[in-house]
Amino acid sequence: MVYYKTADEIELIRASCLLVCQSLAHAGSLIRPGATTWELDQAAEQFIRDHGAVPGFKGYRGFPATLCISINEQVVHGIPSKDRVIQDGDLVSIDCGVLWNGFYGDAAYTFPVGNVSEKAMELCRVTEKSLYLGIEQAVAGNRLGDISFAIQEFVEKKHKYGIVRDLVGHGVGRQLHEKPEVPNYGKRGRGLKLQEGLVLAIEPMVNMGLKEVKTLKDGWTVISKDKLPSAHYEHTVGVRKGQADILSDHRVIEEAILQNQELQPLRLTTAIA
Ligand code: MG
Ligand code: MG
């Protein structure tokens, strides 16, 4: 069942999404070569609990942590660990969810650490731009497939990267994952008709090489089959007439990146076409 949210419910989701982005910014402020992914996870959990909220992922289907931290060829669902040390040149994708006042928020961001190759920076920029192209389509009267098509067209047709099929975006509300699924590939004009009140997590996962992925033996970590790097950017958005309402706020994260000398901002370089 698809749940359409009231204006008041959307404000609660916005608050949860802002806390998610502040948590991502806090984790991002601690990224440096030599830091473990466990340290970031501990800091994010404390930050969320200090705000009176609950980590949205911890315990979800048995996931053991607050953050999913996925480095380089890891696409999503990486488990934070004391053994995983961040290195110069890594792409560190962090996904976070919180439950606050009865509603979830969900957002993700890929942080380029230090001397990241120009190819990997391009992967990040293309992935991020594909997210915003998808969001442009999240308006009342469009179809779900318009979002999917916009992302796939840009990533695969224009930039020849692999868009992951096995994992998709989703509705967000009282549940972390609600209907409908929001694939990052599909046909224009197909699928659910978008209406005001629909709240969607749009989250392209883009592989530098092939689109195929596999899950490691830990049962969670998804990696690209060819082990080439992958990037992941996610916003939670509210469908409206005319223009989508972006409920999460990546600017909070981008400010933290500018403050952290160990990180590469995406935006100081030329905008991509
Ligand atoms: Mg997420
Ligand atoms: Mg999500």
Side-chain angles (χ1 to χ4, degrees), residues 57 77 95-96 105-108 168-172 176-177 200-203 205 232 234-236:
F57 298 168
H77 303 167
D95 196 347
C96 182
D106 191 5
V168 295
H170 50 91
V172 177
L176 177 60
H177 294 133
L200 302 173
I202 303 177
E203 49 177 318
M205 288 147 265
H232 180 210
E234 177 182 29
H235 268 305
T236 298

Side-chain angles (χ1 to χ4, degrees), residues 30-266:
L30 301 172
I31 296 178
R32 58 182 162 75
T36 66
T37 55
W38 184 85
E39 290 170 48
L40 307 186
D41 187 71
Q42 292 298 300
E45 177 168 2
Q46 194 60 51
F47 186 86
I48 291 165
R49 294 197 190 280
D50 285 347
H51 284 79
V54 175
F57 298 168
K58 200 168 191 177
Y60 183 82
R61 296 189 182 167
F63 188 77
T66 293
L67 302 176
C68 295
I69 308 183
S70 312
I71 299 180
N72 298 334
E73 80 282 1
Q74 298 177 348
V75 179
V76 286
H77 303 167
I79 301 173
S81 161
K82 288 179 180 172
D83 297 328
R84 185 66 199 239
V85 179
I86 293 169
Q87 314 279 342
D88 182 60
D90 279 348
L91 289 186
V92 178
S93 296
I94 309 184
D95 196 347
C96 182
V98 306
L99 174 62
W100 203 20
N101 298 313
F103 287 88
Y104 282 89
D106 191 5
Y109 200 95
T110 298
F111 297 83
V113 183
N115 297 297
V116 173
S117 71
E118 186 46 39
K119 269 179 81 175
M121 289 304 292
E122 184 74 2
L123 173 71
C124 291
R125 285 186 215 113
V126 168
T127 307
E128 189 202 39
K129 177 151 184 188
S130 77
L131 167 61
Y132 288 102
L133 292 171
I135 290 171
E136 271 180 24
Q137 298 298 320
V139 292
N142 274 4
R143 300 267 177 182
L144 202 54
D146 296 328
I147 300 173
S148 309
F149 177 83
I151 294 170
Q152 182 181 16
E153 190 75 358
F154 185 70
V155 168
E156 290 195 335
K157 275 261 174 64
K158 188 152 190 195
H159 289 281
K160 313 295 177 201
Y161 293 134
I163 193 97
V164 174
R165 279 16 177 212
D166 301 41
L167 300 132
V168 295
H170 50 91
V172 177
R174 290 189 182 277
Q175 303 297 323
L176 177 60
H177 294 133
E178 294 185 355
K179 300 248 181 230
E181 290 193 341
V182 185
N184 298 302
Y185 61 96
K187 294 198 166 72
R188 209 162 13 194
R190 302 280 180 87
L192 181 74
K193 193 164 191 178
L194 305 179
Q195 295 177 44
E196 270 191 299
L198 191 60
V199 175
L200 302 173
I202 303 177
E203 49 177 318
M205 288 147 265
V206 177
N207 293 346
M208 188 182 279
L210 302 174
K211 62 183 184 296
E212 283 76 20
V213 296
K214 66 175 187 178
T215 304
L216 297 183
K217 283 198 204 88
D218 64 19
W220 283 104
T221 313
V222 176
I223 67 165
S224 61
K225 250 188 188 164
D226 59 14
K227 307 249 177 91
L228 288 174
S230 189
H232 180 210
Y233 293 85
E234 177 182 29
H235 268 305
T236 298
V237 308
V239 170
R240 281 193 313 201
K241 291 185 187 115
Q243 192 177 30
D245 183 8
I246 304 179
L247 304 176
S248 39
D249 190 351
H250 282 186
R251 288 170 302 185
V252 178
I253 302 165
E254 287 151 4
E255 277 164 30
I257 290 174
L258 290 175
Q259 300 297 319
N260 183 343
Q261 300 299 313
E262 309 289 353
L263 297 175
Q264 285 285 343
L266 296 188

